[in-house]
Amino acid sequence: MGSPNAEKPLSVLEDALKGGITCFQLREKGKRALVGMEKRAFAVSCQRLCAQYGVPFIVNDDVDLAVEIDADGVHVGQDDMEARFVRKRIGSEKIVGVSVHTVDEANKAIADGADYVGMGPVYPTITKADAKPVAGTAMIEEVAAVYPDLPIVGIGGITAENAEPVFRAGASGISVISAIASSTDPELAARRLAEVSLKWSRDRGVLR
Ligand code: TZP
Ligand code: MG
């Protein structure tokens, strides 16, 4: 990807943790993605780092891996295992996240036992090859209006500078890849994002 950090993902993760990220999702995808035992070993390394910082470690798509290594949760999209089966598989104590793009998909995610939904891409992104069309914040607003207590996490092209509309629309969190992973200073990038998130959590009365 031409990122200055492409060859050192664990050190980027550690920097992000130091900077104050509050959740980590392992997305091992793409042409050079690790598989099998290598993927498992990398996942466990990420999991251990997250544990040192008390940050939940969530696995994208790979329910078997999540169960095998006792991850904190699983995130699935609309083309992956249905969330109700994920919930059955990983149990009631774990975190289930689902990517949704409409109120209908949010209805199903909630009925299936999702703890949070991811919504996007809010802004243009080149990180996800098969991303849906840019959605802006309108659908976040719609879903938040129907489900004011549902944790909605915005995704796609989000930075500390453009995050505000995402929170204004009703998201309670933001998730990023390039804003941290492609930064020349991932810790600082994470710190800035965490500060924006904290500000909005305080404004909402979620935190004091
Ligand atoms: N889902 C929708 S956009 C996206 C995913 C996983 C990629 C987000 O990456 P970035 O680099 O923060 O735009
Ligand atoms: Mg997926």
Side-chain angles (χ1 to χ4, degrees), residues 5-38:
N5 306 310
E7 303 305 323
K8 44 177 184 167
L10 279 177
S11 96
V12 175
L13 173 56
E14 181 143 34
D15 287 349
L17 290 160
K18 284 183 191 154
I21 62 164
T22 55
C23 190
F24 173 71
Q25 181 190 132
L26 177 68
R27 294 175 58 81
E28 190 58 17
K29 288 175 173 255
K31 263 192 276 174
R32 294 171 58 202
L34 300 174
V35 293
M37 291 312 288
E38 280 184 344

Side-chain angles (χ1 to χ4, degrees), residues 34-137:
L34 300 174
V35 293
M37 291 312 288
E38 280 184 344
K39 179 179 177 184
R40 186 189 190 283
F42 179 65
V44 169
S45 300
C46 294
Q47 182 181 31
R48 286 193 184 130
L49 263 180
C50 288
Q52 280 172 29
Y53 288 81
V55 164
F57 169 81
I58 292 176
V59 174
N60 186 64
D61 294 353
D62 194 338
V63 186
D64 289 339
L65 175 65
V67 170
E68 197 184 327
I69 66 175
D70 194 27
D72 297 307
V74 171
H75 185 97
V76 283
Q78 294 297 315
D79 299 328
D80 303 316
M81 182 188 280
E82 279 184 58
R84 61 197 168 112
F85 297 127
V86 177
R87 173 58 78 205
K88 253 198 181 154
R89 195 70 207 290
I90 68 176
S92 58
E93 300 301 306
K94 300 289 188 185
I95 303 164
V96 175
V98 182
S99 298
V100 306
H101 313 88
T102 61
V103 172
D104 276 354
E105 287 177 1
N107 291 340
K108 173 159 169 46
I110 291 166
D112 281 357
D115 296 297
Y116 74 91
V117 295
M119 295 192 67
V122 175
Y123 302 119
T125 178
I126 53 162
T127 307
K128 185 172 159 74
D130 59 347
K132 298 257 186 326
V134 171
T137 55

